[in-house]
């Protein structure tokens, strides 16, 4: 039995050596960000009646679906605000970090044949898996400790030491749970791509279950690890059992993954590979066919995912409506157009979030051009009778169309399920308009990625940072009262908040021209530069 | 009229000079060997021929067209096999072959099936599950199924087993019989020796030797092993002799090409019982050029 784990520590040191910069960067940004946000709260939310009003707005189901349930609303101190506004978001980021690192050191290394070399040495069968979990366990522990310490030292009203420890503990438990889940998916699938897809799908599902559960039926939230952790009511009641359950869940998933790992062959999965077609379909006859064939699963998966996401949010429209009717405060604040306005606000927020998510698959497609080059597969096309314009044009065109498809899928899902639960929420035409309004912004981002791929291929992944920045400004723009110029640094800052604001054709036209210019520059650069494989 | 003409081409990557003024000329119907150790600049040269990299200076003409500017036009008549074949892990071998053939335009359907059979390839498997040799077979089938005028092959057999190497050599000989040109980069010297009409040797970004194998052999030595009835005197004073090893009843040595006649004449005085002479292999040629350099 002990033989299974031989040399785990050595391999853990290798993982640390390979990723120390990445891990330290992740940790530093998470820790500094969390503490810095908490430090701004006394200014953002001064004590007094104003905070009471804010507390009331946070019982709005629309916000709850995004941020999680608002605990301690009757004594809404800074701790309660911190847990409500920040915990869920930070948990999701921690989960993403854990998924990426776990898959990278398990299935991805296995796929690249590195584990084979390692396994030929006196190393236990489970040593890679256990070394990965060891490094991530330490990483999550350090994260939890540092965040607890930092928040505790701030010493803000309501942010006591016990609550701060729970905040940090919640992050650690969540991180460990998603690392374990990713480890399990790494056993089931044969490729790292599939393992990532399953892991992120699981994270997305956890988020959605919780969103629907938090607003309507509590039991659904208990099924989601994210929902469960929020039930710890950090800074309010500090219940320990949810964290304990999630932690035990992580241990259980790890054991299960270990067990599956010992039962399978190296480089095999549990989802068996079937023989494929011996001839290509007539469709696969040029760069465009290749892009669609390669990105088929991504595009389909995302389309379904966007539809489900839209539909989930649409399904809580009825709760939003009920809330508006029952809340006296809202009636007083917005005497005339209360109902319409709160629903419209909700719709505006959803449209913005959906559009940023829709940008992800579009970026995936255009950046695939760079990934293919790095994998030395572009030379197959370039050594045959295909122009560079046609190659890049195929990736670019697909990315642009994917953006449209994603926007439609999300908004149609939203509209369909909202119409099912509420009478006449908004017209389909209005919904489609909402989808189209954001397209120029997504296309500008795609254009930027195209420019990077064409002219500065080494920096192509900067496009992800830009999208991350956009997410950050939009998600926290109003919560943290971020200065206006910061949101004007991304194309999303110029898109009108439909349906709250009217459509501005000139803004859209300007964005389209900018997108076209970026793409043209990218194409020109791609034609001229050396291709490295 | 040369089908491929490389004129004083230099390629720099930042500070590093990968190619320093190389010249090559491949004639129609010729199988041209391009040999050199790892890192000498073989793959860089080929990528410039394909217009994937742009030469820093100098000109490259293929079929009389500019390799960078007219890449697409040229590629309609070229088939290429990369050295390290990277394929899409989720596509099957069959799909990739069809895709490659379609990208060129012209396809020869029955040729594909025949080649898949000859190379013993399972086209229904995903490329992610293929070994290096099998990925190479995919690229070779796609290249040979194409009806090209010039075949550019970058170490195409480095992952193939001896049986498949033989199939590969047959395919090249068929191309030669059809009057096609082949540009074969390799460091498997026996293969180059068997297939190529002319050879260039590249080292550290410079062409150090070009010519037919016959011409190149003149530059070097023949290995001789001789046994005689009468014992031999000390041979070390003979001109042009190297690596002399004497043993009871005979000797073995290398002799410069122009001294072979006189040396044999001299030896025949001692009643030769057995004589083995081997022409210099390309390997010896290669070593000859590289040993001095290192």
């Amino acid at each position: 039995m002990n033989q299974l784990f031989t040399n785990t520590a050595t391999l853990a040191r290798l993982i640390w050596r390979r990723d120390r910069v990445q891990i330290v960067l992740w940790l530093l940004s998470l820790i500094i960000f969390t503490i810095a946000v908490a430090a701004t709260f006394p200014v953002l939310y001064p004590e007094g009646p104003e905070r009471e009003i804010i507390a009331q707005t946070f019982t709005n189901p629309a916000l709850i679906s995004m941020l999680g349930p608002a605990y301690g609303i009757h004594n809404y101190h800074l701790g309660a605000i911190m847990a409500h506004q920040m915990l869920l978001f930070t948990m999701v980021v921690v989960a993403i970090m854990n998924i990426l690192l776990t898959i990278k050191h398990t299935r991805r290394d296995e796929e690249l044949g590195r584990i084979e070399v390692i396994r030929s040495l006196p190393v236990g069968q489970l040593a890679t898996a256990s070394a990965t979990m060891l490094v991530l366990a330490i990483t999550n522990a350090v994260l939890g400790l540092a965040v607890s310490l930092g928040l505790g030292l701030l010493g803000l009203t309501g942010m006591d030491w016990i609550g701060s420890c729970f905040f940090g503990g919640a992050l650690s438990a969540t991180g460990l749970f998603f690392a374990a889940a990713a480890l399990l998916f790494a056993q089931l699938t044969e490729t790292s791509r599939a393992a990532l897809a399953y892991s992120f799908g699981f994270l997305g599902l956890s988020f959605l279950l919780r969103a629907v559960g938090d607003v309507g039926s509590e039991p659904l939230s208990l099924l989601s690890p994210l929902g469960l952790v929020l039930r710890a009511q950090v800074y309010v009641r500090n219940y320990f059992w949810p964290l304990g359950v999630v932690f035990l869940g992580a241990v259980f998933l790890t054991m299960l993954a270990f067990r599956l790992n010992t039962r399978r062959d190296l480089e095999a999965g549990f989802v068996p590979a079937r023989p494929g077609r011996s001839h290509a379909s007539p469709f696969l006859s040029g760069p465009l066919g290749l892009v669609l064939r390669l990105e088929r699963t991504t595009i389909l998966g995302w389309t379904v995912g966007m539809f489900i996401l839209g539909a989930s949010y649409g399904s809580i429209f009825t709760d939003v409506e009920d809330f508006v009717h029952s809340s006296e405060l809202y009636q007083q604040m917005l005497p005339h157009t209360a109902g319409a306005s709160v629903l419209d606000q909700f719709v505006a927020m959803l449209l913005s979030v959906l559009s940023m998510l829709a940008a992800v698959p579009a970026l995936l497609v255009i950046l695939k051009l760079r990934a293919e080059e790095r994998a030395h597969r572009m030379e197959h096309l370039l050594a045959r009778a295909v122009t560079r314009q046609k190659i890049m044009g195929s990736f670019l065109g697909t990315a642009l169309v994917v953006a449209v498809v994603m926007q439609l899928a999300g908004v149609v899902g939203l509209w369909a399920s909202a119409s099912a639960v509420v009478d006449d929420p908004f017209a389909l035409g209005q919904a489609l308009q909402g989808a189209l309004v954001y397209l120029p912004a997504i296309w500008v981002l795609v254009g930027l990625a195209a420019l990077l791929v064409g002219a500065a291929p080494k920096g192509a992944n900067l496009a992800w940072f830009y999208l991350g920045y956009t997410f950050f400004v939009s998600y926290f723009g109003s919560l943290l009262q971020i200065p206006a110029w910061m949101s004007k640094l991304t194309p999303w800052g110029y898109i009108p908040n439909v349906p709250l604001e009217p459509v501005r054709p000139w803004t859209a036209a300007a964005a389209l021209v900018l997108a076209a210019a970026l793409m043209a520059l990218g194409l020109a650069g791609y034609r001229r530069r050396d291709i490295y494989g | 009229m040369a089908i491929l003409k490389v004129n004083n081409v230099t390629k720099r990557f930042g500070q590093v000079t990968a190619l320093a003024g190389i010249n090559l000329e491949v004639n129609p119907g010729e199988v041209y060997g391009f040999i050199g150790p790892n890192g000498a600049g073989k793959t860089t040269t080929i990528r410039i021929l394909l217009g994937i990299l742009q030469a820093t200076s100098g000109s490259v003409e293929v079929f009389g067209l500019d390799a960078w500017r007219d890449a697409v036009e040229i590629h309609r008549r070229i088939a290429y096999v990369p050295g390290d074949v990277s394929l899409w892990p989720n596509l099957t071998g069959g799909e990739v072959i069809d895709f490659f053939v379609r990208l060129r335009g012209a396809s020869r359907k029955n040729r594909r099936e025949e080649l898949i059979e000859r190379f013993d390839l399972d086209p229904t498997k995903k490329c992610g599950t293929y070994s290096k040799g099998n990925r190479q077979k995919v690229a070779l089938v796609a290249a040979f199924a194409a009806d090209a005028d010039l075949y550019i092959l970058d170490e195409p057999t480095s992952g193939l087993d001896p049986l498949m190497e033989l199939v590969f050599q047959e395919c090249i000989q068929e191309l030669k019989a059809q009057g096609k040109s082949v540009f074969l980069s390799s460091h498997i010297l026996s293969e180059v020796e068997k297939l190529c009409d002319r050879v260039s040797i590249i080292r550290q970004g410079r062409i150090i030797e070009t010519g037919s194998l016959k011409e190149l052999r003149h530059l070097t030595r023949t290995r001789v092993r001789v046994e005689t009835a009468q014992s031999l005197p000390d041979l070390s004073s003979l001109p042009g002799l190297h690596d002399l090893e004497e043993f009871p009843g005979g000797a073995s040595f290398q002799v410069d090409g122009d001294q072979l006649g006189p040396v044999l004449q001299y030896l025949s005085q001692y009643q030769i019982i057995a004589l083995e002479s081997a022409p210099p292999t390309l390997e010896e040629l290669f070593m000859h050029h590289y040993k001095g350099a290192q």
Side-chain angles (χ1 to χ4, degrees):
Chain A
M1 179 65 197
N2 284 337
Q3 291 283 306
L4 288 174
F5 297 100
T6 308
N7 266 327
T8 295
T10 318
L11 286 184
R13 274 199 291 276
L14 175 71
I15 293 174
W16 169 246
R17 173 64 192 80
R18 282 175 62 196
D19 269 352
R20 55 189 180 191
V21 176
Q22 204 186 341
I23 290 176
V24 168
L25 279 181
W26 269 112
L27 286 182
L28 278 183
S29 18
L30 274 165
I31 294 164
I32 293 174
F33 174 72
T34 311
I35 296 171
V37 167
T40 62
F41 277 176
V43 186
L44 288 183
Y45 302 105
E47 230 162 312
E50 218 174 307
R51 204 195 267 179
E52 284 301 302
I53 295 174
I54 290 171
Q56 281 300 306
T57 64
F58 277 142
T59 56
N60 174 352
L63 271 180
I64 286 176
S65 71
M66 294 283 177
L67 299 174
Y71 294 114
I73 213 76
H74 300 298
N75 176 17
Y76 207 49
H77 52 58
L78 295 179
I81 296 180
M82 180 71 188
H84 185 214
Q85 291 195 4
M86 291 300 302
L87 184 54
L88 178 63
F89 171 80
T90 318
M91 274 157 52
V92 170
V93 177
V94 171
I96 291 173
M97 169 185 86
N98 276 281
I99 290 172
L100 290 176
L101 287 172
T102 305
I103 303 291
K104 176 177 175 187
H105 289 286
T106 53
R107 185 47 81 173
R108 174 111 187 102
D109 266 6
E110 198 166 330
E111 184 178 79
L112 292 174
R114 292 177 183 153
I115 306 257
E116 187 183 351
V117 184
I118 286 174
R119 281 278 296 279
S120 70
L121 299 164
V123 157
Q125 202 181 357
L126 287 177
T128 2
S130 60
T132 308
M133 287 311 282
L134 179 65
V135 170
L136 284 174
I138 295 172
T139 305
N140 286 312
V142 170
L143 172 71
L145 281 175
V147 167
S148 309
L149 207 64
L151 292 180
L153 284 176
L154 281 179
L156 301 173
T157 48
M159 291 174 68
D160 50 11
W161 277 100
I162 297 179
S164 299
C165 289
F166 267 80
F167 197 100
L171 295 184
S172 299
T174 312
L176 206 60
F177 186 89
F178 279 95
L183 185 71
L184 182 64
F185 288 124
Q187 310 309 316
L188 297 178
T189 62
E190 218 166 51
T191 63
S192 59
R193 246 176 97 143
L196 281 175
Y198 280 110
S199 303
F200 281 119
F202 177 64
L203 177 61
L205 191 72
S206 303
F207 191 89
L208 277 182
L209 265 180
R210 179 213 57 75
V212 176
D214 285 352
V215 171
S217 47
E218 183 97 357
L220 278 183
S221 292
L222 296 179
L223 285 178
S224 150
L226 296 176
L228 203 55
V229 171
L230 291 180
R231 295 300 176 280
Q233 305 200 14
V234 173
Y235 283 123
V236 178
R237 300 233 181 252
N238 294 326
Y239 290 130
F240 181 73
W241 65 268
L243 301 191
V245 170
V246 169
F247 181 76
L248 287 180
V251 172
F252 172 74
L253 288 182
T254 308
M255 306 283 274
L256 187 62
F258 279 178
R259 188 159 180 95
L260 291 179
N261 198 347
T262 55
R263 289 204 176 176
R264 67 180 177 87
D265 290 340
L266 190 67
E267 283 164 32
F270 277 90
V271 186
R274 289 158 294 144
R277 38 197 320 155
S278 68
H279 288 78
S281 83
F283 208 51
L284 181 61
S285 61
L288 184 60
L290 179 71
V291 181
L292 294 175
R293 173 69 181 75
L294 292 177
E295 297 296 286
R296 189 174 65 187
T297 324
T298 309
I299 295 173
L300 261 175
W302 271 88
T303 309
V304 173
M306 289 296 288
F307 185 86
I308 293 177
L309 183 73
S312 310
Y313 277 110
S315 72
I316 57 173
F317 264 56
T318 169
D319 300 282
V320 178
E321 204 179 42
D322 290 348
F323 168 80
V324 172
H325 289 309
S326 62
S327 166
E328 271 179 40
L329 183 78
Y330 259 92
Q331 304 280 4
Q332 283 163 13
M333 278 166 63
L334 310 156
H336 302 299
T337 53
S341 156
V342 170
L343 268 186
D344 282 356
Q345 265 179 20
F346 186 43
V347 172
M349 182 175 70
L350 285 179
L351 286 176
S352 166
V353 169
L354 285 174
S355 69
M356 282 182 274
L357 283 172
V360 174
L363 269 192
L364 280 175
V365 170
I366 182 69
L367 291 178
K368 180 81 175 164
L369 179 58
R370 169 68 183 154
E372 288 292 291
E373 181 182 342
R374 288 187 60 164
H376 296 283
R377 290 194 287 251
M378 254 16 253
E379 62 183 357
H380 294 307
L381 305 196
L382 290 170
R384 292 180 170 83
V386 189
T387 62
R388 293 186 178 198
Q389 296 97 299
K390 198 169 170 193
I391 292 174
M392 189 169 196
S394 303
F395 281 87
L396 201 47
T398 308
L400 296 180
V401 173
V402 161
V404 179
V405 172
M406 295 307 144
Q407 279 292 78
L408 291 180
V411 169
V412 168
L414 180 69
W415 172 81
S417 89
S419 315
V421 296
V422 187
D423 297 331
D424 216 14
F426 50 88
L428 180 60
Q430 223 182 331
L432 294 181
Q433 191 190 48
L436 296 181
V437 158
Y438 281 96
L439 271 182
I442 303 177
W443 285 349
V444 168
L445 185 65
V446 170
L448 180 77
L451 177 63
L452 288 171
V453 171
K458 285 189 178 131
N461 282 328
L462 285 178
W464 288 120
F465 282 96
Y466 197 49
L467 180 61
Y469 174 78
T470 305
F471 251 114
F472 170 75
V473 201
S474 314
Y475 201 96
F476 289 107
S478 48
L479 289 180
L480 300 183
Q481 297 167 24
I482 280 170
W485 61 267
M486 278 184 75
S487 61
K488 291 291 179 196
L489 290 180
T490 100
W492 269 261
Y494 297 86
I495 302 296
N497 271 321
V498 280
L500 299 176
E501 298 171 307
V503 179
R504 292 193 290 265
W506 285 111
T507 314
L512 287 178
V513 170
L514 177 63
L518 288 170
M519 289 175 214
L521 283 174
L523 270 169
Y526 193 70
R527 279 184 64 184
R528 231 159 270 151
R529 76 171 168 91
D530 284 350
I531 306 285
Y532 296 98
Chain B
M1 167 73 192
I3 202 166
L4 167 71
K5 210 168 165 183
V6 175
N7 229 327
N8 204 19
V9 160
T10 299
K11 175 71 186 173
R12 280 191 209 93
F13 296 106
Q15 299 288 322
V16 185
T17 303
L19 299 175
I22 67 163
N23 293 286
L24 292 169
E25 210 173 298
V26 180
N27 297 312
E30 193 170 51
V31 179
Y32 198 97
F34 192 45
I35 60 182
N38 300 328
K42 296 193 296 285
T43 301
T44 304
T45 306
I46 286 180
R47 289 199 170 149
I48 289 175
L49 297 184
L50 291 170
I52 294 174
L53 299 180
Q54 192 172 19
T56 311
S57 67
S59 70
V60 181
E61 281 180 21
V62 186
F63 309 125
L65 300 167
D66 182 86
W68 173 259
R69 213 186 42 224
D70 306 314
V72 175
E73 207 40 57
I74 291 169
H75 295 173
R76 289 188 209 287
R77 298 168 60 192
I78 277 185
Y80 165 60
V81 175
D84 192 359
V85 185
S86 167
L87 300 173
W88 299 276
N90 54 339
L91 266 63
T92 65
E95 281 181 292
V96 171
I97 292 171
D98 284 347
F99 176 60
F100 284 172
V101 169
R102 284 173 196 164
L103 279 181
R104 288 193 74 259
S107 70
R108 295 190 292 176
K109 184 83 179 170
N110 41 358
R111 186 95 174 113
R112 173 198 192 268
E113 308 307 330
E114 179 209 318
L115 283 164
I116 284 179
E117 193 159 318
R118 275 171 77 181
F119 278 106
D120 194 22
L121 180 75
D122 180 355
T124 64
K125 275 196 178 166
K126 296 260 163 84
C127 292
T129 66
Y130 280 145
S131 65
K132 176 172 165 56
N134 276 325
R135 291 200 303 273
Q136 226 151 18
K137 287 182 193 172
V138 169
L140 284 169
V141 169
F144 290 139
D147 189 15
D149 294 323
L150 172 62
Y151 294 77
I152 298 181
L153 314 171
D154 189 0
E155 298 184 9
T157 57
S158 49
L160 298 186
D161 61 56
L163 225 60
M164 289 305 134
E165 219 178 300
L166 220 59
V167 176
F168 167 77
Q169 290 171 4
E170 281 167 25
C171 287
I172 297 289
Q173 260 138 12
E174 284 167 25
L175 292 178
K176 204 166 155 181
Q178 292 163 23
K180 311 284 193 185
S181 313
V182 178
F183 186 82
L184 173 65
S185 137
S186 179
H187 50 213
I188 301 179
L189 301 168
S190 60
E191 178 182 286
V192 174
E193 221 163 14
K194 218 178 287 179
L195 297 171
C196 296
D197 304 310
R198 285 202 302 149
V199 171
S200 275
I201 303 179
I202 183 170
R203 195 192 75 203
Q204 291 174 3
R206 281 169 217 278
I207 303 284
I208 48 171
E209 206 70 72
T210 297
S212 68
L213 277 178
K214 212 166 144 193
E215 286 164 355
L216 291 185
R217 272 177 191 148
H218 276 294
L219 297 171
T220 162
R221 307 157 179 171
T222 304
R223 170 164 290 287
V224 175
R225 184 191 153 90
V226 64
E227 287 173 38
T228 52
Q230 297 173 25
S231 61
L232 288 167
D234 183 22
L235 297 174
S236 56
S237 61
L238 286 177
L241 237 60
H242 309 270
D243 292 350
L244 178 66
E245 251 180 75
E246 286 172 292
F247 50 85
S252 82
F253 51 82
Q254 287 187 8
V255 54
D256 287 344
D258 54 347
Q259 291 295 325
L260 185 61
V263 167
L264 286 183
Q265 217 159 18
Y266 176 79
L267 288 174
S268 61
Q269 305 169 42
Y270 300 91
Q271 290 188 357
I272 296 173
I273 303 171
L275 177 75
E276 289 167 35
S277 90
T281 59
L282 199 49
E283 195 164 324
E284 274 160 330
L285 204 78
F286 197 76
M287 292 306 180
H288 174 71
H289 277 296
Y290 280 95
K291 265 189 184 154
Q294 276 165 5

